[in-house]
Amino acid sequence: MSIIAGIYTSQWTPELHDIQQRVEQYISRNPDDDRHCYHDDHLFFCQVDYQCYGGAARAENEQVFASVIGHPLLSASISHDLITLLTAKDWQVTLKQAQGTFCAFQYQKARNELLVYCDTLALRPYYIMSYKGAVIFSSCLRIFPDLGVQLDNNLDAISELATLGYTLGDKTRFKQVSVARPGEMMVLSPEGIQRKRYFRWADVPNGHCSIDEGIERLDRSFKQAVSLYLGNDQHTVSTLSGGLDSRLIATELKRRGAGLECLNFSRGNSQDELLSQRFADSQQIPLHRIYVSDTQTLTVEQRLGVHWKVDDFSYYSTVKRPRLFWSGNGGSVCVGQIYTDDKVVEACRRGDPEQLADCYINQQMAYIPSRLVRQGDELQQRLRNNILDALSEYEHLPLLKAYQLFLWENDQHHHIALPFEEMDQFQLDFCLPFYSRGVLEAMFSMETEWALRHGIYMKWLERCYPQALTTPWQTYPGHIPCPLPVETEYSNQWQFRTPLQTKARLIKQGVQTVFNHQAGIYNRHFLGMQCALTALGVYDCTPSLRLVERMNQHMV
């Protein structure tokens, strides 16, 4: 994994030179990290490379240099991929074969032309800002506040982040900064900046595959992605939860004879604790359990960065690429089609995008209380309109297929952005086979109705991975239930109450917000009352206090 940031300009000024120095300083919060820099009359390009995939993420000759974030998976070797990209005549043609998640950079030195390509969901995004005739770019949004440039809050984006957990379109929390769209390419040259979608899922043939052919394609593509990620590794590490996604990855790795140990982060007396251990025992997989009090405070990927250390695991020294973890991200949405309940399906069958937007808002509890937030009604209406605008990109498709893409290109587009923002702290990267292009193509080729409630997923496992179904697993509410008995005294992830320490943190931040500069967007008296009611145990206002916490996190 790399972090990349830089400036492209036709004319360097003292201010831009100052920003350049700040980019180099703040690209990593670790001053000991090596910065690899290139500088000419037009481009300053800085990269910190942690080589999680086992090789350098940069290659260069006299005419051109190429660099990547993530791994294109043109082959199992990132070094081989970089040579391929360095010499490729047409990146669009070459990257059609890429199965990984990546953001790729190519700079033609003689033409002073920088090309940037994202994968089909832009899971490894770049952020750009036009500033006084220059373009500032970075793979991490956190860098921009440290550059000494004017940044303003984008309340639409902050509302989306606080309610949905992601932004719609190319918005970021800063008005001046935008993010790459799925399948986007950018060209920076002396003629200016060009951005376009070189790939759009909405243009791909869909729904033409039989379920048997589709599952065959899905299985073949998943195994290909695992092969490319695994390469020649004899030992590897993965997460393992009580659900199916990480279990499927572990099953495939064990089939290949790979030495495997897993980590699980769960609350005590939970289904996640019980079911992951049962599966690990059945497959003879060593499972390292780390108990957490609140599973929502950090992502699993962030927890790995905290706990996976050489001094704490004897197995660490046997792993050839110890900073590379397997992750089941993408399985539940891209294959299992979660977030598609009966009301959503009914709205899609009616062909009513407005009803669909309302159902999605209700399902996500994406509400901005007007009594709490001063512009709450207006922000709520804009949130709804922005969802409708996002759906309108696919208006030529059946609405259920459009909704599938809406989830892919919005929710999933940002799904792992947070741990990548923390790359300099944790220095981890991830094998993400559910996001491989082949897996996504297989799912998109089939009717979306077949995927509902984990329908395709379960048929795939029953046909190709029956050993993954020999012990009970945790299922999503409303989806195909597990036929094996599970002890009811163990709670699932949707039944836990907010821990007291989390509630105390939310109350403290709410009280602080009443008295700080950010309180201007809140109704102070109402926020103060909610803090008091929650502290006294009269009424639990933690959902509103969580909204305040999330909005505060994203404000300048």
Side-chain angles (χ1 to χ4, degrees):
M1 174 65 180
S2 293
I3 308 170
I4 286 171
I7 305 169
Y8 189 94
T9 182
S10 295
Q11 183 175 2
W12 287 95
T13 64
E15 183 179 13
L16 290 178
H17 281 300
D18 179 63
I19 294 173
Q20 172 198 326
Q21 293 175 359
R22 288 171 176 264
V23 167
E24 188 170 353
Q25 177 182 356
Y26 292 109
I27 189 171
S28 170
R29 289 163 288 192
N30 183 356
D32 296 329
D33 283 345
D34 291 333
R35 276 82 165 157
H36 304 281
C37 298
Y38 174 89
H39 196 186
D40 65 15
D41 291 341
H42 287 80
L43 177 67
F44 171 71
F45 189 94
C46 186
Q47 179 177 10
V48 175
D49 182 12
Y50 298 108
Q51 299 192 18
C52 298
Y53 288 100
R58 178 184 174 114
E60 184 174 4
N61 59 31
E62 292 182 358
Q63 291 80 34
V64 63
F65 76 72
S67 181
V68 295
I69 305 163
H71 193 337
L73 289 190
L74 294 164
S75 71
S77 165
I78 193 168
S79 300
H80 181 274
D81 283 10
L82 261 296
I83 297 301
T84 299
L85 292 175
L86 190 69
T87 57
K89 301 296 183 183
D90 188 333
W91 270 31
Q92 275 186 238
V93 173
T94 301
L95 291 174
K96 283 183 179 180
Q97 309 305 314
Q99 294 298 313
T101 63
F102 64 88
C103 183
F105 297 77
Q106 182 196 62
Y107 187 61
Q108 296 285 345
K109 299 176 183 179
R111 299 202 303 265
N112 301 121
E113 183 179 81
L114 178 67
L115 292 95
V116 189
Y117 283 81
C118 286
D119 62 67
T120 63
L121 294 184
L123 290 156
R124 313 278 185 151
Y126 59 85
Y127 302 90
I128 63 169
M129 174 182 184
S130 296
Y131 185 75
K132 297 185 178 181
V135 174
I136 304 170
F137 58 91
S138 174
S139 60
C140 286
L141 187 61
R142 62 166 173 79
I143 293 173
F144 287 90
D146 295 318
L147 300 184
V149 298
Q150 177 65 40
L151 294 172
D152 299 303
N153 291 322
N154 185 332
L155 281 183
D156 278 10
I158 290 170
S159 299
E160 291 163 7
L161 286 164
T163 55
L164 301 175
Y166 59 85
T167 59
L168 296 158
D170 68 349
K171 295 190 296 297
T172 74
R173 59 193 177 101
F174 307 122
K175 288 183 178 179
Q176 294 84 357
V177 183
S178 61
V179 64
R181 299 295 310 280
E184 182 176 282
M185 65 169 290
M186 176 176 69
V187 181
L188 297 174
S189 71
E191 285 70 44
I193 179 174
Q194 299 178 39
R195 295 175 65 184
K196 70 175 185 178
R197 306 277 292 276
Y198 77 95
F199 176 89
R200 292 177 75 249
W201 281 106
D203 298 333
V204 174
N206 64 86
H208 65 279
C209 220
S210 70
I211 193 165
D212 288 337
E213 181 186 353
I215 289 175
E216 183 181 337
R217 288 180 59 182
L218 173 62
D219 188 61
R220 183 170 60 249
S221 297
F222 181 79
K223 288 178 168 64
Q224 179 192 21
V226 171
S227 292
L228 290 171
Y229 275 122
L230 185 61
N232 297 319
D233 289 358
Q234 300 298 311
H235 297 85
T236 190
V237 285
S238 177
T239 58
L240 183 64
S241 71
L244 288 175
D245 302 331
S246 56
R247 176 181 296 202
L248 175 56
I249 290 171
T251 301
E252 180 61 29
L253 291 172
K254 290 291 289 184
R255 274 188 183 179
R256 293 166 183 265
L260 176 65
E261 293 196 10
C262 295
L263 275 70
N264 170 271
F265 302 93
S266 58
R267 294 173 67 161
N269 296 317
S270 66
Q271 285 190 14
D272 198 69
E273 174 193 22
L274 173 70
L275 302 183
S276 59
Q277 190 65 62
R278 282 192 179 178
F279 175 75
D281 291 343
S282 73
Q283 301 298 311
Q284 298 181 322
I285 298 171
L287 180 62
H288 305 273
R289 186 171 310 288
I290 299 166
Y291 290 102
V292 297
S293 60
D294 187 349
T295 57
Q296 304 301 312
T297 304
L298 296 174
T299 67
V300 171
E301 292 78 16
Q302 288 173 307
R303 293 189 191 281
L304 288 171
V306 173
H307 293 281
W308 176 246
K309 299 183 184 301
V310 62
D311 293 336
D312 297 334
F313 293 88
S314 59
Y315 183 70
Y316 192 105
S317 60
T318 69
V319 182
K320 182 179 179 182
R321 297 183 291 177
R323 309 311 298 170
L324 186 62
F325 253 84
W326 291 84
S327 169
N329 270 305
S332 58
V333 172
C334 296
V335 182
Q337 197 62 36
I338 64 168
Y339 307 136
T340 314
D341 59 23
D342 291 343
K343 292 182 179 179
V344 165
V345 173
E346 179 60 26
C348 290
R349 287 174 178 164
R350 288 175 176 268
D352 188 342
E354 296 206 9
Q355 182 184 351
L356 173 57
D358 291 336
C359 290
Y360 184 66
I361 288 170
N362 184 62
Q363 177 198 88
Q364 300 297 313
M365 300 298 293
Y367 296 113
I368 307 165
S370 58
R371 290 188 296 173
L372 176 64
V373 180
R374 292 183 184 276
Q375 301 178 44
D377 287 340
E378 181 182 350
L379 291 172
Q380 186 71 52
Q381 185 60 47
R382 294 213 298 260
L383 172 64
R384 184 178 187 270
N385 291 340
N386 290 338
I387 291 172
L388 289 169
D389 286 344
L391 287 167
S392 70
E393 292 188 29
Y394 324 113
E395 59 187 4
H396 63 291
L397 296 173
L399 191 52
L400 187 57
K401 182 61 72 173
Y403 180 68
Q404 181 182 27
L405 283 192
F406 168 82
L407 293 177
W408 287 14
E409 296 193 341
N410 291 279
D411 173 273
Q412 293 298 285
H413 166 44
H414 295 285
H415 192 60
I416 47 179
L418 187 57
F420 291 149
E421 287 286 311
E422 307 297 328
M423 174 58 62
D424 61 328
Q425 301 293 307
F426 302 138
Q427 301 179 20
L428 286 178
D429 212 324
F430 308 99
C431 302
L432 300 161
F434 285 107
Y435 285 130
S436 77
R437 181 166 177 163
V439 166
L440 297 175
E441 286 175 339
M443 290 305 302
F444 198 60
S445 71
M446 291 182 276
E447 294 290 344
T448 310
E449 286 87 347
W450 301 339
L452 300 180
R453 303 176 66 242
H454 273 67
I456 289 174
Y457 206 137
M458 293 309 302
K459 284 184 171 63
W460 174 32
L461 294 186
E462 288 164 1
R463 185 177 305 180
C464 303
Y465 290 94
Q467 62 269 56
L469 306 179
T470 55
T471 63
W473 60 91
Q474 189 166 258
T475 60
Y476 288 91
H479 284 235
I480 297 173
C482 174
L484 303 176
V486 179
E487 287 85 342
T488 56
E489 65 267 25
Y490 289 87
S491 300
N492 63 41
Q493 59 183 310
W494 301 281
Q495 295 172 319
F496 285 115
R497 295 181 178 180
T498 304
L500 290 176
Q501 63 188 41
T502 300
K503 192 174 292 187
R505 186 193 75 236
L506 293 171
I507 294 169
K508 179 180 178 181
Q509 183 168 135
V511 171
Q512 291 173 340
T513 301
V514 170
F515 297 102
N516 70 19
H517 71 282
Q518 292 175 339
I521 72 164
Y522 304 109
N523 293 312
R524 293 173 184 261
H525 295 300
F526 188 78
L527 176 56
M529 181 181 68
Q530 290 204 321
C531 292
L533 291 173
T534 305
L536 294 171
V538 177
Y539 190 81
D540 186 1
C541 302
T542 52
S544 292
L545 297 181
R546 281 191 187 275
L547 178 77
V548 172
E549 179 183 58
R550 290 168 182 160
M551 293 188 76
N552 289 349
Q553 285 174 347
H554 298 296
M555 289 189 193
V556 179

